[in-house]
Amino acid sequence: MERRFITRLGDGSAVALTRSALRAELEEGTQAAAARAKLPPLETPELEHLLDIFASAARFSAVDIGDEVVLSFDGSGTPQQGSRVNALLQYEQCLAADSCELYHSDYSYKAVKTVVGVEQQAMKEARERLTIPVHYGAQPDLGRYSAPDGPCGNWAELLPQMRIDDARAAQEEAVELAVEDMVYVATALWEAGADGLNFDTAGAGGDADFLATLLAVERLRAAHPGMGILVGMSGELVLGTHGQLEYRGTRLAGLRPAAQLEVVQQAGATVFGPAVNVNTSRTVAWNVARALTLMKPCMAVARIPVHANAGMGVGGVPMNAFAPVDAVSRCSRACVDILRLDGL
Amino acid sequence: MPVAHAVASGMNGLRAAGDLVARLEMARGMKLAEAKVYVAEKLGAGVADLADPLVMHEVRGELRLGRVFEAETTYPHDPSPQEAKRNIAALLDLRINGAGT
């Protein structure tokens, strides 16, 4: 009888699979991505290496010594660590973080604008107490600009009414407002001593959300040549909630990770974070193979560092706030070993 | 989650030279392999040493780049974070925002 290995589903729950079953999961995962995105599947040696990572009883898995990569974080710290800046210091002194991120619990540039002075003061304190790079992060969060939370029409209501032109006009108006808010907040945090800015889950609201991010990055790069600018995506496909928006001649709707990276590079970011969402009903092995297949084309076109998103529910990591280390470490190692990327 | 990633694949941050490589990636958009070579040359160390906490602890102390401390190993004469960042900026020929460089 073939030996079974404890592995995980995409929701983090444990399942026991044989090596043969894990091989099938990996092959199905890469084929699913290849078919959906019209990409080549992972090659046989890559799948064999992934199989060795997953068909193991070890509680933890890690890259080879010498293959370590830079870690960047969104939202560093939890309430149990005390103040936000104390949490960052613990990331530096106790958790071996290569960099960290100051953030507000209402993780949206629009929300932060109203308390930006408080955030500047916290950044000032962080820069005085930490040696590792501290960036500030929030989400572009375009939906906040639609009624009833914002001044623009609600395209989620207009689209089902077939008021396409009104929905598009509302999004275009929201883009203008969001760009101004992101530039305002980013500039304020840069003046307070941030090492960089993170635009997290870019494109979560669709192609207009992504366009707003790119336009904000473009303006910040022009104003601050030395600013670190990280753009982390929200998913493996930019949704066409507008459908006609372009950035420098590239239509944004429907972009996959490698094409997302190309426009992010053009805008002037210094780090790109591809994100591939997890299917919670499939295994981590299936999800990792799918994610790597979708992210792999990034490496051929990247002129800037690529930091794969490998947090809760992305990059194969289970969609659970308390993801088990056996799954997280395997995802971490798999991304580095297969993609040879610059960070996570 | 951050602990699992740090142990599985991270460069050990201030325990080694992860923050220095991170600075070049973030500020200059330098790719990992190039950034590792750049930092190693500036430190007078090998690329293989960059994530080694024992080697980097000594190097960071000598160059006054800031380092971690513990109850048994305190460094009251080590530089403040701001001073350490000015030393890092000079070493890497890199402007660090907010550090007076």
Side-chain angles (χ1 to χ4, degrees), chain A residues 67 101-102 118 150 169 211 232 247 275 288 307 314 329 332 334:
Chain A
D67 285 350
E101 176 182 292
L102 178 69
V118 177
L211 178 63
Y247 179 74
V288 164
H307 288 200
V314 285
S329 64
S332 196

Side-chain angles (χ1 to χ4, degrees), chain B residues 36-80:
Chain B
K36 282 185 173 180
V37 170
Y38 185 95
V39 171
E41 288 179 353
K42 295 291 186 182
L43 292 174
V47 170
D49 294 329
L50 294 179
D52 186 321
L54 267 69
V55 176
M56 286 300 117
H57 196 76
E58 296 301 317
V59 171
R60 296 190 78 112
E62 291 169 8
L63 298 176
R64 297 182 62 76
L65 304 180
R67 52 185 168 173
V68 296
F69 66 94
E70 295 193 7
E72 300 91 340
T73 53
T74 58
Y75 302 107
H77 304 296
D78 263 15
S80 70

Side-chain angles (χ1 to χ4, degrees), chain A residues 214-263:
Chain A
L214 296 169
L215 294 174
V217 169
E218 186 179 83
R219 278 178 52 181
L220 290 166
R221 173 56 62 229
H224 307 290
M227 179 187 279
I229 302 179
L230 298 79
V231 175
M233 297 303 298
S234 58
E236 65 263 28
L237 181 80
V238 177
L239 296 176
T241 49
H242 185 290
Q244 296 179 328
L245 296 174
E246 295 183 354
Y247 179 74
R248 299 190 187 183
T250 299
R251 183 169 172 264
L252 298 178
L255 293 189
R256 298 279 183 188
Q260 296 167 6
L261 164 59
E262 293 195 89
V263 291

